[in-house]
Amino acid sequence: MFMGTGSDVGKSLIVAGLCRAFANRGFRVAPFKPQNMSNNAAVTADAGEIGRAQALQARASRRDPITAMNPVLLKPEGETGSQVVVRGKRRASLSARQYWADRGQLLPEVLAAFTELAADSDYILVEGAGSASEVNLRANDIANFGFARAANIPVVLIGDIHRGGVIASLVGTLAVIDPDDAALVRASLVNRFFGDPALFDSGKAFLAEKMGVPSLGPVPNFADAAKLPAEDALALDTIAREGQGGSFHIAVPRLPRIANFDDLDPLRAEPGVTVTLVQPGEPIPRSVDLILLPGSKSTRADLDALRQNGWDIDILAHHRAGGSVLGICGGYQMLGRTIADPDGLEGPPGTSQGLGLLAVDTILSPTKMLRTENAVHAATGAIISGYHMHMGVTAGPDRDRPFAHVDTDPEGAVSADGRVMGTYLHGLFAADPFRRAFLGNASSPDLSYEAGIEATLDALAAHLETHLDIDGLLSLAAPLDLP
């Protein structure tokens, strides 16, 4: 099990790279994360949803993603509450206080998923959540040492040297956690090193002496990590700082509860495209070619935030000036006339007025649509491979002009002038033929997005094989020994 001294220290990336490295060695390997918190999710082969990182790790393992790989997924809906997804299905929406008080009751289901996965694997690589040293959250824990103790799993503790203070964070973690938890730590791992790794030789020796376990690495920074789908919203800060280069300019308002923002990754990979993530308080640039409204975990709340930032005025002005607008999932719902939530699924019951750029209305419903989809883009005939992940039914006259067709069924909507489009299909831009058709001359015919992901995973595995003692790491693994 790989735990971190904090969030975003590289746990997901290390596990993904090791999954591919183990798979390349001929092992049947699987990722596992007992509890994840993310609004970037993926649809699984068994018709559920898991965190995007576990789906990428499954791909690295050359396996289909299944709900057993991430049995508990928390999808934040506001500042103090989340939708609780168990084995891929929405179970409840709870406040943070309610969830933290009751989460221990989910441990049997977490262990059952782990056992199910173990029955079909040579190795399981488990990823912890956040920081392993949050002793204030240790009671009823199922994400870190609570799970590791229950399943009796050896732990590798990861620290990010690029943040500074990595020695103190690793040694300090052992100092503050319960001694029985600390006994499970079998090694430390120093990640994201810049410069000559030999400069850290004395640091490794110090860590080994103070912690009483081997120090692995340091693992040099893997620059191509940005080419892989991100799960943590912290990645949005990196996207916002990216340079601008392409002639086709897409603006994306950074909604507070933005979801499935990896929809943007294939567009960011295009050399002819500039993607600007518009920050709160900033106007949407006037000169953009396309405004893209992304998915949202709380559509009505994010629609309110959109208006508070004045982005509704910018979007309407952009459209009046002849610009194009695309809404995906929650963004599609915002483009319509109304969004009704009679059951209070995403907040207080009520109805919100949409932007009115599409003649459609949405009613949110408890049933979540979770399925992969092959579709045909209505305007170009290009094939789209995507997935649905939404609650709500959208209807109205603009549905008579669908964005795409799934078999013979219409999907999405297009305005009468053809410049406003809405779709529930996530992942649509990963389909090279559709992306090229949609972007026209701005798209490179040489870019194969999915092939690029595979090449990056192979490069990550080779990177870890070079800088880690993989055989030594394998020797730390323990046989399944559940009580």
Side-chain angles (χ1 to χ4, degrees):
M1 184 169 184
F2 296 84
M3 297 188 199
T5 58
S7 296
D8 202 35
V9 299
K11 299 185 296 292
S12 297
L13 194 68
I14 291 290
V15 170
L18 290 174
C19 281
R20 178 53 60 93
F22 287 13
N24 286 346
R25 290 183 172 213
F27 295 116
R28 184 157 175 80
V29 61
F32 184 79
K33 186 159 186 171
Q35 172 198 288
N36 200 352
M37 178 178 283
S38 177
N39 275 335
N40 248 19
V43 174
T44 62
D46 50 348
E49 59 178 313
I50 60 174
R52 170 60 57 186
Q54 281 61 65
L56 179 66
Q57 291 160 357
R59 177 173 183 164
S61 305
R62 298 193 176 93
R63 297 181 67 162
D64 290 332
I66 58 174
T67 59
M69 294 173 177
N70 176 204
V72 179
L73 174 63
L74 306 179
K75 307 186 77 172
E77 295 178 319
E79 296 302 319
T80 60
S82 294
Q83 182 182 113
V84 181
V85 177
V86 181
R87 287 306 297 264
K89 303 299 181 185
R90 177 184 181 273
R91 180 164 294 184
S93 290
L94 299 175
S95 69
R97 185 181 297 273
Q98 286 175 297
Y99 177 74
W100 297 119
D102 298 339
R103 60 184 173 156
Q105 299 173 15
L106 296 173
L107 183 58
E109 292 180 86
V110 169
L111 292 172
F114 178 70
T115 304
E116 175 185 324
L117 201 58
D120 189 33
S121 306
D122 296 319
Y123 289 96
I124 298 181
L125 302 182
V126 184
E127 180 186 340
S131 169
S133 61
E134 293 171 336
V135 294
N136 56 309
L137 300 177
R138 177 61 179 86
N140 300 320
D141 172 59
I142 62 172
N144 289 308
F145 282 109
F147 170 77
R149 287 270 292 277
N152 194 26
I153 297 179
V155 172
V156 176
L157 186 63
I158 300 176
D160 179 356
I161 195 170
H162 190 54
R163 294 183 171 197
V166 70
I167 291 175
S169 64
L170 287 165
V171 175
T173 296
L174 280 192
V176 300
I177 62 178
D178 183 279
D180 288 335
D181 291 346
L184 288 176
V185 177
R186 300 288 193 270
S188 66
L189 191 156
V190 174
N191 194 27
R192 294 190 69 207
F193 191 88
F194 288 77
D196 182 357
L199 295 175
F200 196 68
D201 285 349
S202 60
K204 285 184 64 176
F206 184 88
L207 283 171
E209 178 186 352
K210 291 295 183 181
M211 298 181 70
V213 295
S215 175
L216 307 177
V219 176
N221 182 61
F222 181 68
D224 284 344
K227 295 180 180 179
L228 296 173
E231 178 182 69
D232 200 310
L234 292 172
L236 291 171
D237 297 329
T238 301
I239 294 172
R241 293 192 300 268
E242 287 180 342
Q244 310 299 308
S247 59
F248 190 91
H249 194 175
I250 300 173
V252 183
R254 183 172 178 175
L255 303 172
R257 300 159 189 85
I258 187 172
N260 294 69
F261 55 82
D262 56 311
D263 285 338
L264 307 177
D265 289 353
L267 297 171
R268 293 169 49 226
E270 281 284 0
V273 174
T274 294
V275 177
T276 297
L277 197 62
V278 183
Q279 300 299 307
E282 298 178 356
I284 297 175
R286 291 188 177 184
S287 59
V288 300
D289 298 286
L290 174 72
I291 294 176
L292 192 157
L293 293 185
S296 167
K297 188 60 201 68
S298 297
T299 306
R300 293 175 63 214
D302 272 354
L303 181 57
D304 288 342
L306 184 146
R307 288 194 164 102
Q308 290 164 10
N309 281 282
W311 290 333
D312 57 330
I313 298 171
D314 296 340
I315 293 167
L316 295 174
H318 170 79
H319 178 251
R320 283 197 304 272
S324 298
V325 184
L326 171 66
I328 300 176
C329 201
Y332 169 29
Q333 296 172 344
M334 293 180 198
L335 291 174
R337 297 177 297 200
T338 60
I339 305 168
D341 185 4
D343 298 320
L345 299 171
E346 293 186 349
T351 299
S352 297
Q353 296 299 309
L355 298 177
L357 290 176
L358 286 175
V360 296
D361 301 279
T362 298
I363 300 176
L364 301 183
S365 58
T367 302
K368 181 179 284 191
M369 303 296 295
L370 292 167
R371 64 176 185 268
T372 56
E373 207 91 271
N374 290 317
V376 177
H377 185 218
T380 64
I383 301 298
I384 303 173
S385 297
Y387 62 94
H388 277 200
M389 181 181 290
H390 69 91
M391 296 190 298
V393 176
T394 299
D398 280 353
R399 291 268 290 132
D400 294 336
R401 287 179 296 275
F403 178 80
H405 289 94
V406 178
D407 295 326
T408 58
D409 296 330
E411 198 290 321
V414 177
S415 62
D417 62 14
R419 290 187 286 108
V420 182
M421 301 153 281
T423 177
Y424 276 121
L425 284 168
H426 286 291
L428 68 171
F429 289 113
D432 297 328
F434 165 73
R435 189 179 65 256
R436 291 170 188 150
F438 188 86
L439 295 174
N441 293 334
S443 177
S444 168
D446 299 324
L447 177 64
S448 175
Y449 179 72
E450 298 293 354
I453 296 295
E454 286 298 307
T456 303
L457 287 171
D458 282 333
L460 175 58
H463 182 76
L464 296 183
E465 287 275 11
T466 300
H467 298 288
L468 280 179
D469 178 4
I470 301 294
D471 291 327
L473 192 60
L474 284 169
S475 70
L476 300 177
L480 183 66
D481 184 25
L482 291 177

